[in-house]
Amino acid sequence: MKEQEAPRPIRIAVGLWLAIAVFVLFVTGGLWFQRGQVQELTKWTSGQVTSFLVTLTVVAVIFAAAYAWLTRLFLRRRRWARIALSVIAIVHMLWLLVLGISAANLVTLLLICVAIVFTWQPRAAQWFAEVRDE
């Protein structure tokens, strides 16, 4: 079975995982343009804000790369990729909870929850089982 023949829940899950990766990068990039507001809200020095933003950027790139790579493997029907995506997502959710509540974090949490639901749909399990039958 080819990628374009993936069932609808798989295509939706893939779209969501990739959307999460892109969204995380855009949100983090946007924070760099709001460094003045971050400094004002936190009362941190310019160096502390830069260090914070660098840390956020590194973590965001790691999550985005992991989502992109694992989504590719998920589409190739690597059974472990589905589990790895879910584990990375849970770690990401915990990371977001440590950062605190924001609109962007809530959107990301919602996207992750929906992506996990579609990743573990019965039709997805059937799609993976078909590989063993071929």
Side-chain angles (χ1 to χ4, degrees):
M1 191 176 268
K2 298 177 184 166
E3 285 181 28
Q4 61 267 28
E5 295 177 35
R8 189 166 189 244
I10 298 295
R11 292 191 313 267
I12 292 170
V14 166
L16 286 167
W17 290 121
L18 295 177
I20 293 164
V22 171
F23 186 70
V24 165
L25 293 175
F26 275 122
V27 168
T28 304
L31 286 175
W32 281 94
F33 292 104
Q34 298 174 341
R35 23 175 324 117
Q37 291 172 319
V38 172
Q39 188 171 358
E40 195 176 297
L41 286 171
T42 60
K43 307 291 188 232
W44 290 345
T45 65
S46 179
Q48 289 172 313
V49 171
T50 299
S51 178
F52 174 72
L53 291 175
V54 166
T55 302
L56 283 181
T57 302
V58 168
V59 172
V61 167
I62 289 169
F63 279 124
Y67 285 134
W69 178 64
L70 291 170
T71 299
R72 184 170 182 250
L73 294 173
F74 176 69
L75 262 177
R76 290 183 170 187
R77 294 184 179 187
R78 301 296 193 274
R79 298 175 75 67
W80 61 268
R82 186 162 69 145
I83 296 166
L85 272 168
S86 300
V87 170
I88 293 294
I90 291 168
V91 171
H92 192 182
M93 291 164 82
L94 293 172
W95 168 255
L96 292 173
L97 293 174
V98 167
L99 290 179
I101 301 296
S102 72
N105 286 355
L106 290 175
V107 169
T108 306
L109 287 170
L110 178 63
L111 286 172
I112 289 171
C113 289
V114 175
I116 288 173
V117 167
F118 277 99
T119 299
W120 290 95
Q121 286 282 318
R123 182 60 187 111
Q126 180 184 358
W127 186 65
F128 278 100
E130 289 171 2
V131 172
R132 285 183 282 164
D133 296 341
E134 292 176 355

